Amino acid sequence: MINFFEESVFFGVTLSLIAYFIGLLLKKKFKLGIFNPLLIAIIISIVFLIAADVDYEVYNEGAKYLSWLLTPATVCLAIPLYEQWELLKKNYKAILVGIVSGVLTSLTTVLVLALIMGLSHEEYVTLLPKSITTAIGMGVSEELGGYVTITVAVIIITGVLGNMFGELVCRIFRITEPISKGLALGSAAHAIGTAKAVELGEVEGAMGSLSIAVSGILTVILASIFANFI
């Protein structure tokens, strides 16, 4: 069985797509946030690899082709932003303040928790880029001396949680403005959160797309400053 997986070039891609498809079916059937397709896909993939005793490197050899699509998929999020360009220009001050607030909140939260939990510098900077896309976050973590693999895991977890509970949080705090929802999801939960924003509406999706880009740039700049605090 292991030899079959090792010799199959697209084993990783096939497993990932099947697991994600199962996640989509569960989400459609139960309509609960806990059945996030990405979360379900991760769990199924891990369980399968452990049960079949397949090494991660064997899986990743095929699954890496999906990673190549991450950047173009993120770029495609600029389309809803373009469609809402007039709305962006009309509310640019509030949008800019919202994104900056989101980035500062994310970095400050990590700083406070790191101080409370007594994290080392390496552990602290590993968590700083938790709310930006994986591609940018990996570079930030590596540059600051963090553990890149853990950073990737934290970014994914942050995105999945934002996707699952973002809408609920907006309901609890009675946030109904589409621009606010999109900015919150995009700045807090990057691309995965923006995927949820797109489900909520065109305006939410556009603001989420904008948040991904601006939050990434701001985090690269501010993370280097926050890294000196511990």
Side-chain angles (χ1 to χ4, degrees), residues 126-146:
T126 295
L127 301 178
L128 279 179
K130 68 177 181 62
S131 293
I132 58 178
T133 60
T134 306
I136 302 176
M138 291 174 63
V140 172
S141 179
E142 183 177 7
E143 181 69 23
L144 298 178

Side-chain angles (χ1 to χ4, degrees), residues 24-72:
L24 286 175
L25 292 178
L26 291 175
K27 180 64 179 296
K28 183 177 180 180
K29 180 176 178 61
F30 296 102
K31 298 180 180 179
L32 295 174
I34 191 65
F35 292 104
N36 179 273
L38 181 58
L39 177 62
I40 297 299
I42 292 173
I43 294 175
I44 292 177
S45 298
I46 291 175
V47 171
F48 183 89
L49 294 179
I50 294 175
D53 194 25
V54 178
D55 189 84
Y56 173 76
E57 294 301 326
V58 175
Y59 162 78
N60 190 50
E61 187 62 29
K64 65 182 181 182
Y65 299 110
L66 287 175
S67 300
W68 295 350
L69 301 176
L70 180 61
T71 300

Side-chain angles (χ1 to χ4, degrees), residues 213-230:
V214 180
S215 295
I217 296 172
L218 290 177
T219 301
V220 170
I221 298 172
L222 296 177
S224 60
I225 299 175
F226 272 75
N228 296 318
F229 295 161
I230 294 181

Side-chain angles (χ1 to χ4, degrees), residues 22-224:
I22 293 174
L24 286 175
L25 292 178
L26 291 175
K27 180 64 179 296
K28 183 177 180 180
K29 180 176 178 61
F30 296 102
K31 298 180 180 179
L32 295 174
I34 191 65
F35 292 104
N36 179 273
L38 181 58
L39 177 62
I40 297 299
I42 292 173
I43 294 175
I44 292 177
S45 298
I46 291 175
V47 171
F48 183 89
L49 294 179
I50 294 175
D53 194 25
V54 178
D55 189 84
Y56 173 76
E57 294 301 326
V58 175
Y59 162 78
N60 190 50
E61 187 62 29
K64 65 182 181 182
Y65 299 110
L66 287 175
S67 300
W68 295 350
L69 301 176
L70 180 61
T71 300
T74 303
V75 172
C76 286
L77 290 174
I79 296 177
L81 176 60
Y82 172 77
E83 294 176 343
Q84 300 295 331
W85 184 249
E86 291 300 322
L87 183 64
L88 170 61
K89 291 193 296 184
K90 182 179 179 181
N91 300 277
Y92 75 93
K93 292 182 180 179
I95 291 172
L96 182 59
V97 171
I99 296 176
V100 172
S101 300
V103 173
L104 289 175
T105 299
S106 174
L107 296 174
T108 303
T109 300
V110 173
L111 173 61
V112 172
L113 290 176
L115 292 172
I116 294 175
M117 302 177 70
L119 300 183
S120 66
H121 174 77
E122 290 76 11
E123 294 167 339
Y124 166 58
V125 296
T126 295
L127 301 178
L128 279 179
K130 68 177 181 62
S131 293
I132 58 178
T133 60
T134 306
I136 302 176
M138 291 174 63
V140 172
S141 179
E142 183 177 7
E143 181 69 23
L144 298 178
Y147 304 108
V148 178
T149 53
I150 298 179
T151 297
V152 173
V154 171
I155 289 174
I156 293 176
I157 292 173
T158 300
V160 171
L161 291 177
N163 187 289
M164 290 170 55
F165 301 111
E167 184 178 8
L168 176 61
V169 171
C170 289
R171 289 179 180 176
I172 292 175
F173 290 94
R174 299 180 180 179
I175 300 173
T176 58
E177 171 58 47
I179 295 179
S180 300
K181 289 182 180 180
L183 293 177
L185 288 167
S187 60
H190 51 86
I192 304 178
T194 299
K196 182 64 178 180
V198 172
E199 294 179 12
L200 297 178
E202 294 182 1
V203 175
E204 289 91 334
M207 295 303 106
S209 303
L210 176 63
S211 296
I212 293 176
V214 180
S215 295
I217 296 172
L218 290 177
T219 301
V220 170
I221 298 172
L222 296 177
S224 60

